[in-house]
Amino acid sequence: MITGANTGIGFETAKLLAEHGATVILACRNAGKAAEAAARITASVPDSTVHTLQLDLASLPSVRSAAEQLRAGHPRVDLLINNAGGVRPRYAVTEDGFESTFATNHLGPFAFTGLVLDRLLAVPGSRVVTVSSIGHRRGAVDFDDLNFTRGYRYTHAYFQAKLANLMFTYELQRRLAAAGAPTVAVAAHPGNARTEFGREMPLPVRVLMRPQFRMLTWWLMQSPQVAALAAVRAAVDPDVRGGDYYGPPGRAQFTGHPARVQSSAASYDIAAQRRLWQESERLTGVTYPVGAARVVPS
């Protein structure tokens, strides 16, 4: 199952997996766009099996409804790719009272993963892949104001959320390992890609993403097909280890075929990971079927 799979990196990830025989579920906010994306995949891969699921990660009622539908229709899930994300240029609050960027990128995926995790725990070799961003390196989690009530800058909100993706992955992996679960948690980042995500960026960035500038920006941005390979490798590499992080190894990790890479020092802060986990459980009301791991002092 792949969230945000109707366009860009999510679509290319779904298409590539379908081409190699996977039964794919496209979980998208817009049901019509999900159906169109499914039709594009089946037209390109006639023997593929593609389902759709309406899921708005900015809405906890939608998250719970989608989880119930997935559980009802699929007793086992081999792979969950938390790909969907976004950023609001202006401050916005969800129906649940959360800042929209944080809700869409972290709280929604956290809640959905927890609600369907038992479907993965039943499958040896199953994986939870969460897509972060190189922007996480500029992120900091403000536990005193996770929802930016004291002032909003969209870049800070996005970088905080992408850092949260990695902290979530590492804490989830520690819990899975402590429980002896057959599931692993892995992270990936696509580098810089020419996708519709850029439509919400400032004008100079949108201009640079136009096709006529590719001869100038080839080192800075890559196609969504190549950008999708990081999540795909995290999903299928037989040598993957829980807690691995895949992304382009090129200059500043902007472009290139995926390799194991390192995330920021802040992302490995165990105390912060646990605090974020506890706050996420409190805010979403979702608890996981795997408990906290004991950390042995070094």
Side-chain angles (χ1 to χ4, degrees), residues 58-135:
S59 164
L60 287 179
S62 176
V63 167
R64 292 184 179 278
S65 176
E68 290 175 4
Q69 293 178 59
L70 182 71
R71 294 171 57 81
H74 301 275
R76 55 172 285 164
V77 177
D78 298 270
L79 176 65
L80 169 61
I81 301 180
N82 291 315
N83 163 79
V87 59
R88 284 293 190 98
R90 295 178 178 80
Y91 186 75
V93 176
T94 70
E95 63 187 82
D96 305 298
F98 307 133
E99 187 277 313
S100 181
T101 299
F102 189 62
T104 302
N105 290 274
H106 172 65
L107 292 177
F110 176 91
F112 187 81
T113 302
L115 291 169
V116 303
L117 185 61
D118 64 324
R119 292 299 192 258
L120 289 101
L121 294 176
V123 184
S126 56
R127 301 179 189 183
V128 176
V129 177
T130 300
V131 179
S132 182
S133 163
I134 51 176

Side-chain angles (χ1 to χ4, degrees), residues 2 5 9-19 24-26 41:
I2 306 165
I9 295 167
F11 174 81
E12 297 299 337
T13 301
K15 183 173 179 288
L16 187 56
L17 292 173
E19 288 173 349
V24 178
I25 304 171
L26 314 182
I41 293 175

Side-chain angles (χ1 to χ4, degrees), residues 134-145:
I134 51 176
H136 86 273
R137 293 183 174 278
R138 297 171 61 188
V141 178
D142 184 353
F143 287 105
D144 295 326
D145 191 23

Side-chain angles (χ1 to χ4, degrees), residues 37-221:
R40 289 166 57 199
I41 293 175
T42 54
S44 176
V45 190
D47 295 331
S48 61
T49 302
V50 184
H51 304 286
T52 63
L53 180 67
Q54 200 279 327
L55 168 62
D56 182 356
L57 290 166
S59 164
L60 287 179
S62 176
V63 167
R64 292 184 179 278
S65 176
E68 290 175 4
Q69 293 178 59
L70 182 71
R71 294 171 57 81
H74 301 275
R76 55 172 285 164
V77 177
D78 298 270
L79 176 65
L80 169 61
I81 301 180
N82 291 315
N83 163 79
V87 59
R88 284 293 190 98
R90 295 178 178 80
Y91 186 75
V93 176
T94 70
E95 63 187 82
D96 305 298
F98 307 133
E99 187 277 313
S100 181
T101 299
F102 189 62
T104 302
N105 290 274
H106 172 65
L107 292 177
F110 176 91
F112 187 81
T113 302
L115 291 169
V116 303
L117 185 61
D118 64 324
R119 292 299 192 258
L120 289 101
L121 294 176
V123 184
S126 56
R127 301 179 189 183
V128 176
V129 177
T130 300
V131 179
S132 182
S133 163
I134 51 176
H136 86 273
R137 293 183 174 278
R138 297 171 61 188
V141 178
D142 184 353
F143 287 105
D144 295 326
D145 191 23
L146 288 172
N147 287 302
F148 288 90
T149 59
R150 294 196 293 264
Y152 180 75
R153 293 181 63 181
Y154 77 90
T155 51
H156 290 185
Y158 182 69
F159 297 152
Q160 171 183 263
K162 293 290 104 178
L163 175 59
N165 289 156
L166 286 162
M167 295 167 68
F168 159 69
T169 296
Y170 299 151
E171 177 66 17
L172 175 58
Q173 173 57 33
R174 191 161 42 249
R175 289 168 177 253
L176 290 168
T183 306
V184 296
V186 193
H189 82 83
N192 284 347
R194 295 182 181 89
T195 68
E196 290 186 16
F197 185 84
R199 68 183 181 273
E200 297 180 322
M201 294 294 102
L203 181 60
V205 177
R206 298 202 305 270
V207 169
L208 286 174
M209 295 180 73
R210 292 174 181 172
Q212 59 264 40
F213 288 98
R214 289 185 183 180
M215 291 298 292
L216 298 176
T217 61
W218 60 270
W219 62 273
L220 176 65
M221 297 179 185

Side-chain angles (χ1 to χ4, degrees), residues 236-286:
V236 304
D237 188 334
D239 296 323
V240 74
R241 302 167 305 201
D244 275 350
Y245 179 45
Y246 289 93
R251 182 185 302 178
Q253 297 185 6
F254 285 169
T255 60
H257 285 74
R260 286 191 183 98
V261 294
Q262 290 292 310
S263 55
S264 69
S267 69
Y268 294 110
D269 185 329
I270 293 176
Q273 291 166 10
R274 287 191 161 182
R275 185 176 179 186
L276 177 65
W277 190 281
Q278 292 165 355
E279 284 297 301
S280 301
E281 285 188 331
R282 181 182 68 82
L283 292 170
T284 64
V286 173

